[in-house]
Every structure is written in structure tokens, then in C-alpha cells.
Amino acid sequence: MASISPIDLQKALKGAEYPASRDDLVTLARDNGADDTLVEKLADAPTDEFDGPNDVQKAVFGNE
């Protein structure tokens, strides 16, 4: 997959409970079959804990 969409991120994080740690979300994304590129972007997010899906999107996509 060349690029990641917010919908891909939502699918990868289906079932997430917030607040959630970055490591928990990376594990969930892998378990949900997320693309490796998405998992890497999530793992490289500058935040250790997220209060909700909007926080995750901001960390993964920045100002894209």
C-alpha cells in the first residue's frame, strides 16, 4: 500500500479502548491485520499515550 488513509487507521484500531498506550495500539493494529506501513507509522508516533482516535490521527498523519 503506497499511502495510508484515515479509514485504514480506523480499521486497524477497531476495538481500541482509550486512553491507550502506543504499544497497545500497535499490537491491536497487528492483530487486526493492518498493513506494515501503518503499523510502523503508529509505532513511530511521538506520543506514548492517546486519549482517543483523534489523538492517534494527529500523531500518525500530522498536518497531512
Side-chain angles (χ1 to χ4, degrees), residues 11-60:
K11 288 178 183 177
L13 299 181
K14 183 179 180 183
E17 294 183 19
Y18 296 94
S21 72
R22 178 179 52 224
D23 292 342
D24 287 344
L25 294 181
V26 167
T27 299
L28 179 62
R30 281 192 184 116
D31 290 348
N32 284 339
D35 183 89
D36 288 341
T37 304
L38 189 150
V39 173
E40 287 175 26
K41 253 193 146 169
L42 188 56
D44 291 341
T47 307
D48 290 331
E49 186 163 300
F50 301 94
D51 291 329
N54 288 339
D55 285 348
V56 179
Q57 276 202 0
K58 286 176 190 173
V60 170

